[in-house]
């Protein structure tokens, strides 16, 4: 069965909207991660961005101490964050492109264009027993470069598939691109994950086409559903306190 990694960045985004500058506040992404694990998630993904806009250093340290599944640290390939990863020792890192103005990760990594820097980081991580995944678009040149880099995993950027999901022709074209990329990557010996924009509507369509994806990393739709499915309980709990005061 394909594994599920839950990306908890959005929990931290909500916390930072109220408690920026403080070291704690609600909702706590670490508590959220523990709930995800109890519910059966196979891993927890967190992106420690250079600007620390959501996940903080404290969060990744506490995640490392407290979670019992796998920690997937999403990160830019910069000296500061590489040093943090080597010290933290997540089970796996996922290198992503990072642009300061973007709302979320837009587009995959240009592995071909920065192969030597990526290969250096793969070597450092391998010495520290940390696996490496590269977040790429399902494009042959990038898949081939990933296979040369020394990484063991790639994660296909499914943003374009998600974006074009409602148009049958474009959805089919994106699925074909992903399926052909999957075959090429497996032939090159890579393990293939996928993520970005996956939700309750599109996930089964993707898996029916590519059942052997190793892991899906999903954040926004799961955290969004948690708000709607948990809202009634939250209101009831508050009403109970008001009534009994
Ligand atoms: N995988 C990677 C590499 C990402 O950057 C993101 C977004 O942070 C995700 C998966 C999850 O995307 P979404 O929040 O759209 O589910």
């Amino acid at each position: 069965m394909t594994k599920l990694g839950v990306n908890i960045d959005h929990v931290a985004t909500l916390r930072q909207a109220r408690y920026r500058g403080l070291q704690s506040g609600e909702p706590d992404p670490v508590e959220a991660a523990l709930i995800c694990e109890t519910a059966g998630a196979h891993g927890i993904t967190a992106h420690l961005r250079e600007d620390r806009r959501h996940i903080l250093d404290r969060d990744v340290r506490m995640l490392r101490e407290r979670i019992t599944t796998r920690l997937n640290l999403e990160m830019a390939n910069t000296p500061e964050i590489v040093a943090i990863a080597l010290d933290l020792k997540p089970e796996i890192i996922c290198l992503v492109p990072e642009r300061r103005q973007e709302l979320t990760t837009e587009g995959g990594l240009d592995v071909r264009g920065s192969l030597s820097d990526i290969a250096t980081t793969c070597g450092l991580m391998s010495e520290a027993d940390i696996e490496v995944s590269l977040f790429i678009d399902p494009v042959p040149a990038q898949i081939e470069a990933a296979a040369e880099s020394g990484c063991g995993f790639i994660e296909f950027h499914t943003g374009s598939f998600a974006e074009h999901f409602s148009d049958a022709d474009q959805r089919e074209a994106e699925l074909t691109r992903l399926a052909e990329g999957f075959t090429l990557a497996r032939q090159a010996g890579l393990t293939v994950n996928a993520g970005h924009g996956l939700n309750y509507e599109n996930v089964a369509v993707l898996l029916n086409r590519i059942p052997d994806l190793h892991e899906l990393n999903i954040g926004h739709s799961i955290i969004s559903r948690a708000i709607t499915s948990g809202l009634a309980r939250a209101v009831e709990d508050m009403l109970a306190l008001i009534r009994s005061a």
Side-chain angles (χ1 to χ4, degrees), residues 108-174:
L109 207 56
D110 179 11
V111 187
R112 180 55 72 203
S114 43
L115 185 56
S116 114
D117 287 348
I118 289 173
T120 301
T121 299
C122 288
L124 289 171
M125 295 297 156
S126 161
E127 281 167 24
D129 267 339
I130 300 169
E131 291 173 315
V132 179
S133 178
L134 305 180
F135 187 50
I136 60 172
D137 293 314
V139 170
Q142 297 300 341
I143 297 165
E144 285 154 11
E148 288 170 38
S149 74
C151 72
F153 292 73
I154 53 172
E155 178 173 326
F156 279 150
H157 193 317
T158 46
S160 191
F161 160 70
E163 200 181 314
H164 298 113
F165 189 74
S166 56
D167 180 310
D169 289 345
Q170 290 198 62
R171 177 176 69 214
E172 183 53 33
E174 291 296 335

Side-chain angles (χ1 to χ4, degrees), residues 3-6 32-45 63-72 89-92 215:
K3 295 181 190 304
L4 172 65
V6 180
L34 298 176
I35 293 169
C36 295
E37 286 191 320
T38 303
H42 302 98
I44 301 297
T45 298
L63 286 169
R64 177 63 303 173
E65 281 168 25
R66 297 191 61 194
I67 70 169
T68 53
T69 57
R70 280 163 64 83
L71 177 59
N72 172 20
K89 295 203 187 308
E91 275 73 21
I92 184 164
E215 180 176 87

Side-chain angles (χ1 to χ4, degrees), residues 74-101:
E74 270 182 30
M75 52 180 270
N77 191 18
T78 64
E80 185 215 357
I81 308 287
V82 166
I84 289 173
L86 290 170
D87 185 50
L88 187 71
K89 295 203 187 308
E91 275 73 21
I92 184 164
I93 63 162
C94 181
L95 295 180
V96 300
E98 217 176 88
R99 299 175 196 93
R100 282 191 181 251
Q101 300 309 320

Side-chain angles (χ1 to χ4, degrees), residues 222-242:
I222 291 178
I223 303 306
S224 301
R225 181 167 286 218
I227 291 175
T228 45
S229 62
L231 196 51
R233 169 72 192 277
V235 171
E236 284 159 14
D237 288 353
M238 185 57 77
L239 279 172
L241 285 173
I242 292 169

Side-chain angles (χ1 to χ4, degrees), residues 7 9-10 45 47 49 54 72 74 94-97 104-106 135 155-158 194-199 216-222:
N7 181 315
D9 295 351
H10 291 297
T45 298
H47 185 173
R49 294 184 76 104
H54 42 48
N72 172 20
E74 270 182 30
C94 181
L95 295 180
V96 300
T104 179
T105 315
E106 293 164 3
F135 187 50
E155 178 173 326
F156 279 150
H157 193 317
T158 46
H196 205 97
L198 297 178
N199 60 32
L216 303 179
N217 283 307
I218 307 183
H220 186 86
S221 66
I222 291 178

